[in-house]
Amino acid sequence: MARVRAEKIQELIKQEVSKIILNDLKNPHIGFVTVTQVEVTNDLRHAKIWLSLYGGPEEQDRTLQALNKSLGYIRSEIGKRIRLKFVPELALMTDNSLEYSSHIQKILLQIKENEAE
């Protein structure tokens, strides 16, 4: 039962963080960001937010630094929007799965081309 509640909280946090980043944060250093996943511990005290960042490495670093500086604001907004006894401590993680899948796709295309030759 606790895991079902944690999954619901994960989805709510994912939606709210996406809305906060899109609508509320006015930092010009924040580039294009997608919240891909949220993992919450069973006791709902800690949450890892997985982000997919777009742009070059420098732009990704600036975006991640700006978001880390905004974590306190994001956490307070989550506390206002989602009724929880304890608002989880937030940690931002970068999700490189899109880059990895693109890399694998390129390798598979190269293999296909080599076989055709």
Side-chain angles (χ1 to χ4, degrees):
M1 184 67 185
R3 193 69 226 158
V4 173
R5 182 167 189 255
E7 289 174 4
K8 289 180 183 179
I9 299 295
Q10 286 175 173
E11 190 60 33
L12 282 172
I13 290 175
K14 180 180 173 184
Q15 292 173 0
E16 292 304 323
V17 169
S18 295
K19 289 177 189 176
I20 292 167
I21 291 173
L22 182 64
N23 299 324
D24 297 347
L25 296 181
K26 303 297 182 202
N27 191 329
H29 297 293
I30 297 175
F32 189 71
V33 178
T34 303
V35 179
T36 57
Q37 183 179 351
V38 174
E39 292 177 4
V40 178
T41 57
N42 284 336
D43 63 355
L44 305 176
R45 296 286 184 152
H46 301 281
K48 288 182 184 177
I49 301 171
W50 295 89
L51 303 171
S52 182
L53 306 171
Y54 297 94
E58 296 131 12
E59 186 178 349
Q60 289 180 3
D61 288 341
R62 275 188 306 204
T63 300
L64 192 59
Q65 288 175 358
L67 287 171
N68 276 319
K69 288 181 181 178
S70 302
L71 268 182
Y73 174 76
I74 294 171
R75 185 170 183 240
S76 68
E77 284 296 309
I78 288 173
K80 292 175 187 174
R81 297 176 185 200
I82 302 174
R83 294 188 48 135
L84 295 171
K85 188 172 185 177
F86 299 103
V87 179
E89 289 291 328
L90 305 177
L92 298 178
M93 312 296 277
T94 55
D95 183 3
N96 298 322
S97 61
L98 291 176
E99 293 174 11
Y100 184 72
S101 65
S102 174
H103 175 71
I104 296 297
Q105 183 68 25
K106 287 178 186 176
I107 291 172
L108 291 174
L109 289 174
Q110 288 176 349
I111 291 171
K112 188 176 181 181
E113 289 175 5
N114 291 340
E115 287 178 353
E117 293 175 357

